[in-house]
Amino acid sequence: MGDDNRHIRILLAKPGLDGHDRGIRLVARVLRDAAFEVIFLGLRVTPEQIVQSAVQEDVDLIGLSVFSGGHMTLVPRILQALRESGVSSVPVVVGGIIPPCDALELKRIGVSQVFGPGGSTSEMISSLRRLVSKHEEADV
């Protein structure tokens, strides 16, 4: 099992043209307070920028925030680009306004977890730690 004291490197990004960043900025702060190493790409990044940064930064996890409704277009493009870059095993989580049927489809195509608004930050942190631990165990 992974060491809860090690710094998990998480890349956070807002893909597409979505300009709502209050939620992801709060998540970044919460994760930093929980000893995660947060690489925040900011707003309006492309799937290619996200994947390139994930590879360069050697991240343990990718977190995407989508409020614009573009999740069913952008997230599959990101997952495909991760596969093409050879890093498809890095867990991807998505947060935002995601309808339940879309959340199921995102999980079906490879998203590890979908977080909606108003969730518990302590449950999110625990979930992210578990995802990274599972990923590390699978790599052994």
Side-chain angles (χ1 to χ4, degrees), residues 11-70:
L11 179 125
L12 296 178
K14 297 272 304 171
L17 299 176
D18 186 358
H20 299 91
D21 66 346
R22 185 174 182 181
I24 197 168
R25 289 185 184 278
L26 174 65
V27 168
R29 186 171 51 243
V30 165
L31 293 177
R32 284 185 186 119
D33 289 349
F36 283 67
E37 183 178 343
V38 177
I39 297 112
F40 180 45
L41 294 185
L43 300 171
R44 300 180 183 96
V45 292
T46 66
E48 295 76 20
Q49 289 170 320
I50 292 167
V51 172
Q52 182 180 29
S53 296
V55 170
Q56 288 174 346
E57 296 287 347
D58 191 28
V59 297
D60 300 303
L61 191 68
I62 298 170
L64 306 171
S65 174
V66 184
F67 284 85
S68 65

Side-chain angles (χ1 to χ4, degrees), residues 96-109:
I97 307 298
I98 312 290
C101 60
D102 289 354
L104 290 174
E105 178 63 13
L106 290 172
K107 288 180 182 179
R108 189 191 69 74
I109 65 170

Side-chain angles (χ1 to χ4, degrees), residues 69-91:
H71 53 276
M72 295 308 291
T73 301
L74 294 165
V75 174
R77 283 182 51 201
I78 293 164
L79 294 173
Q80 179 63 34
L82 287 168
R83 283 190 291 276
E84 291 169 0
S85 297
V87 290
S88 61
S89 64
V90 174

